[in-house]
Amino acid sequence: HSFPTRRSSDLYEISEPLRQNWTYTLRDDHVGDFRSGISPFVANQKGDWLYSGFGHGLIYDKRDSRIDPTAGYYASLGNEFAGAGGRVKFLKNNISVGHYLPVDDDHEWVLATSAETGLMSDLGKQSRVVDRYELGGDSLRGFADSGVGPRDGNTRDALGGQYYYLATVQLNFPLPLPNDFGVKGQLFTDVGSLWDTGFKNPAIVSNDSKVRVGSGVGVSWKSPLGPIGLSFSKAVKKIKGVDRTETFRINFGTQF
């Protein structure tokens, strides 16, 4: 359970394409009430944890639209430092880039590419599962939520990782429906990996950076309630018996 108190600044413009924000978060986490048979790597983090940390984001955005881009590019940098008091200590650094290339004159066919990576330092103190990165679901289609990365080999519980990378190639194309419907088709391939819990133990499996690949097709709809996506995908490259996969997914919000 978390009991948050958060102060944050709004995203503000340094120049027309360059935006920045700063945040401060003070949060009291209670970790407990575990199900029976949970991984001891999770259970040993039981207790109350006070989180006090700062966040920073910087994005250079030259896309023609932030909701439904068809041309342009962006690059962003994110940092999170926990340790301004409290029990939780870590530093995260994230970088992401993306590019949108219209294939036709009407910008109905668009080739979208993106890449991102993150690294986490535990600052000399073992990181918590909840603070590490996770990969799968919306972020690596063809795999379930937290379906990729280190896990307890006995209980199969996901443990998160301190390093990850993710790259996507996606072709957006029109469907034979009126444009007012706001429906588009997608062909995509996601490539990524998540690894390193920050400590070694023979009971931890999938603790290295082996690549995973998911491919599939999807449909996106700009509904009155916001973007909704449906995707059918397959885990083309996976670690058998360890990774958790899925075929169908509904996504609310922008995926790419």
Side-chain angles (χ1 to χ4, degrees), residues 83-94:
R87 292 183 62 191
V88 183
K89 297 184 184 299
F90 65 80
L91 175 65
K92 284 182 173 179
N93 297 289
N94 305 279

Side-chain angles (χ1 to χ4, degrees), residues 203-223:
I204 300 176
V205 298
S206 188
N207 203 21
D208 54 36
S209 58
K210 290 182 179 177
V211 66
R212 276 76 154 191
V213 180
S215 292
V217 298
V219 175
S220 64
W221 173 39
K222 290 191 293 184
S223 77

